[in-house]
Amino acid sequence: MPRLTRRLILTSACVAALLPHAAFAATTHQVSIANMAFVPTRITIKAGDSIEWRNRDSAEHTATDKGGTWDTGILRRNKKAAIRFDTPGEYDYFCEVHPNMQGKITVT
């Protein structure tokens, strides 16, 4: 184990101060897929946050961006996938298997 010296402690503190605050505040939000719907249907998150979708249905589902930039792939029962959102905006998405299932993400 490296010996902590005053120089190492000060260097670590300086590096941490230079990193963007968002790097420490990122959150992973949960969206369930249940009863053939995304729950919640609409969600607002901050840039740098992630959303984790978990399929609680017996049917396979996806969470797929209508703009074509991201996709969770097929999620079987109890499987999950996460996507990180770095760019503010609104993202409409749907399930490729069941296109009537739709959701909206707002990134601030």
Side-chain angles (χ1 to χ4, degrees):
M1 178 187 224
R3 193 172 135 230
L4 291 178
T5 64
R6 183 175 175 194
R7 175 178 279 171
L8 178 60
I9 292 169
L10 289 173
T11 302
S12 298
C14 290
V15 168
L18 294 174
L19 293 174
H21 178 68
F24 297 107
T27 301
T28 300
H29 304 268
Q30 307 297 315
V31 173
S32 289
I33 303 171
N35 300 316
M36 302 296 283
F38 297 109
V39 181
T41 303
R42 294 176 177 260
I43 189 167
T44 300
I45 65 173
K46 294 180 181 175
D49 286 357
S50 298
I51 296 180
E52 181 181 85
W53 286 268
R54 180 182 293 269
N55 183 4
R56 304 216 183 262
D57 277 343
S58 58
E60 295 178 341
H61 295 291
T62 72
T64 305
D65 177 37
K66 286 186 178 180
T69 56
W70 53 265
D71 182 85
T72 61
I74 294 285
L75 298 174
R76 292 186 172 91
R77 182 179 182 89
N78 292 321
K79 297 300 179 186
K80 60 186 177 179
I83 307 274
R84 181 177 161 161
F85 294 85
D86 292 320
T87 306
E90 291 189 345
Y91 301 88
D92 293 310
Y93 68 97
F94 68 106
C95 171
E96 282 189 319
V97 182
H98 307 96
N100 58 318
M101 294 174 53
Q102 298 187 29
K104 183 177 203 115
I105 302 162
T106 301
V107 182
T108 59

